[in-house]
Amino acid sequence: MANMKEIAKMARVSIGTVSHVLNNSAGVREPIRKRVLEAVQAARYQPNQVARGLRRDKTNMIGMIIPDVTNPFFPAVVRGAEDMAFSNGYRLILCNTDNDHSKELVHLNELRTYLPAGLIVIPSNFSDLTVQAERYQEAGTGVVCVDRLPTNWSGDSVTADNEQGAYDATQHLLQLGHKKLATITGPLHLTNAKERLNGFKRALREVKLSLTPEYVQETTFDKRGGYSKTLVLLRLIPRPTAIFAGNDMIALGSLLAIREAGLVCPKDISLIGFDDLDLGETTDPALSSVSQSGYQLGTTAARILLDRIGGDTAPARHIVLETSLSLRNSVAAPPKRPKSRSDEPART
Amino acid sequence: MANMKEIAKMARVSIGTVSHVLNNSAGVREPIRKRVLEAVQAARYQPNQVARGLRRDKTNMIGMIIPDVTNPFFPAVVRGAEDMAFSNGYRLILCNTDNDHSKELVHLNELRTYLPAGLIVIPSNFSDLTVQAERYQEAGTGVVCVDRLPTNWSGDSVTADNEQGAYDATQHLLQLGHKKLATITGPLHLTNAKERLNGFKRALREVKLSLTPEYVQETTFDKRGGYSKTLVLLRLIPRPTAIFAGNDMIALGSLLAIREAGLVCPKDISLIGFDDLDLGETTDPALSSVSQSGYQLGTTAARILLDRIGGDTAPARHIVLETSLSLRNSVAAPPKRPKSRSDEPART
DNA sequence: TTGTAGGCGTTATCAG
DNA sequence: CTGATAACGCCTACAA
């Protein structure tokens, strides 16, 4: 592969001049400049990014650590980050953690030796990120946290307004007349799960509805979790008439459980999710959901990083993106009359 | 960040010895070896991958070029590749092309300057890959093609047995008694789409059913394409009683169109997809599909690459992974009696 | 404005 | 078996 020395020879200039032309680091007289550029063209020369990285102590790569690309919500974030990074000349190194904080640690340590220009992280459960990020900061490498934050995170972050989104969803259910509202939350040590629960609670509080502890079920952010916890909820007496699911995967599991129990959504029970994944459109009924843009989460995170790379030293930014309610067919007013006495509160 | 020089000083040896210990490139006497390792531990030293890459003219990164992470089938491939690569000490640089071959070209050119150890590509439409790959081969960098191949691709490849999978699906429909079979294919310049069509044709040929040209619709591999082409099919007289969709996204679009047309799947019309995506489980009816493992596609591709990196110079390998039929509720026997005369063949 | 040369952190070659 | 030392390709003072 052609290198600078060859280009210099071809253009009959010194290697330093070639570098100057390529980086605009010194005013090079036009005729020479042109000669260099022509040589570059002719040889289809492209600077070796590895050598450049070594010299500059920084590469054009942005590390991205996520739980799992395979999980429908994350690819959108990745894509957003990739688009923004790419159009600014940066490439993404992608690492999966499976929500395993020790795997995250390995990636964190490893990645630093690639001299990335920055790091975008969707932290795993019980992330050590705060400690590790300091080592990056020392090297002048920015770290942006996305979607959920480790406890005590004080660096840059981009999240959705989980609390408000959950509040809106819950309020919508309340307005339809639901009184027996349940929620299936994600792991409550994740900030996004906790915030969503808080939004749910706030909406109930506002209408002075007290929270039945059994109506709050915590599980993992996946279909299986939603399925099993829904079975639990459906056995309760009185049975909830609406479920706010911590995310769409949980909601999907719920839907399956509801169907299997011989109930009909939304006639017997309303369901609303969070994330507004594409696959919510094709379920039956189509899933109502709190919409957040993973793509925008990604672009925003990359944007912040690019600013930091560009020398922005302002205090940490905490961007919170708005959510909106995406209403489809999985919500309706609660059933007028309970089907049987067993649906009534067991007040006797 | 600590470097070799510091470790050498700490262990009171030369920098060369440190390198030898770290790479086992020379038998170092145990006491010294131990001293070095202790220093490495103490300083939490990790070799700078960029410097190493420059020196070796090869990094520990594997470039991966795909159409779009956001497209449900590809993340699985990415994940498979990432897992295999990671467990062997390699990292993935991910690039999206949006099926745009000029964007693919940019990535292909750019990526080379990062001195990747290898490249995994899911080619875009009209890919120039064959030409570009030669430049990689010259540098001794392996390139593996996945899922679909550019025309004339002669390098390593990993694909599913698209032809057989399509054949199996079609045969299943035939065995249920369907005679009016339609298919909605992906872009036929993509090898996987073409092979799937070939499988479909072979199954028909085998039972001496002639192919009605209007029953073959070509479109893009997405929901919208499936939707619009299904509308076309549903207007045909006689109307097909079964549709084999080129992939699950197309099938999803089909399902929506069928529903909208007031028909019921599978009672009025059977539907079978390809890929067996997770989201096919939650549609109503649950989607039958030809199952292929994207994950395995990814791991296999990475495995080949690792072998090449390890010095394997055997002739190009063309791995074809088996598919299986994943039967759910979207297929049934054709309706016994046509609802109206218009469903009958127009033989008069 | 252009050229020269040193060095980024590693590895590899070659003496000792 | 261990230690100097010269690259790898590029950038950047600094000198001319």
Side-chain angles (χ1 to χ4, degrees), chain B residues 4 19 23 45 48 52 55:
Chain B
M4 265 189 154
S19 179
N23 300 293
Y45 167 77
N48 181 322
R52 165 179 286 185
R55 181 58 235 244

Side-chain angles (χ1 to χ4, degrees), chain A residues 31-49:
Chain A
I32 295 200
R33 198 182 118 76
K34 204 172 153 195
R35 244 173 37 222
V36 171
L37 257 20
E38 278 168 3
V40 167
Q41 283 275 313
R44 289 194 294 170
Y45 168 75
Q46 286 176 283
N48 181 322
Q49 295 293 340

